[in-house]
Amino acid sequence: MRKGTRTRLVAAVAGALALGGIAAPSATAAPEHGPASAMTLSLDWLDEPGFPGGNLPRTVTLECEPAGGGHPAPEQACRSLLEVEGHFEKLPARNQPCPDVWEPVAATATGTWRGQEVGYREVFGNVCEAVAGTDQVFNF
């Protein structure tokens, strides 16, 4: 490229920038969007269980798309929720043995799933049943 051509090109680009015709890279880039879904999941006793050593209530955050939050297995939990389009009540139950004890727990989820408000609450006979009955989403 000849010197005169390069000078005209630089001048044209500078002029376009000054007139707002070309967007210059911003020193402060726009913040990236957060996850498509963000929820708080909780397990809590329905009634006092009446035995020592209980470790409830438990609460974690779950973010999906991308998977994250405080959930110990966010990728698996998000995959399960993606399969039912975020409808907790449609999560399949896993066939796993659980103790035959009545220590009722409430599993709850609040937040948003792909921009839609989430409000889920279901009672299970014990923690194991809550985990198995929600395809491991409440396994925390």
Side-chain angles (χ1 to χ4, degrees):
M1 184 183 292
R2 294 189 337 234
K3 184 176 181 180
T5 305
R6 184 171 47 151
T7 303
R8 284 191 297 268
L9 178 62
V10 170
V13 170
L17 286 172
L19 295 174
I22 298 176
S26 172
T28 58
E32 291 194 27
H33 296 289
S37 305
M39 295 153 286
T40 300
L41 310 179
S42 299
L43 280 173
D44 201 357
W45 299 118
L46 192 59
D47 296 312
E48 282 299 314
F51 71 97
N55 58 355
L56 294 182
R58 293 186 224 160
T59 302
V60 297
T61 57
L62 176 63
E63 299 172 350
C64 297
E65 301 177 292
H71 196 286
E75 293 85 7
Q76 178 184 346
C78 289
R79 190 171 33 256
S80 294
L81 286 167
L82 281 167
E83 289 175 6
V84 295
E85 299 178 0
H87 296 282
F88 282 80
E89 66 279 0
K90 293 181 181 179
L91 287 167
R94 288 204 175 179
N95 187 13
Q96 74 180 49
C98 287
D100 190 20
V101 294
W102 180 249
E103 297 168 351
V105 296
T108 60
T110 57
T112 59
W113 175 263
R114 293 182 168 176
Q116 299 298 313
E117 193 170 321
V118 171
Y120 166 79
R121 183 175 189 274
E122 189 169 347
V123 175
F124 295 90
N126 56 50
V127 173
C128 180
E129 290 179 8
V131 171
T134 61
D135 198 25
Q136 305 284 319
V137 170
F138 281 86
N139 190 14
F140 53 84

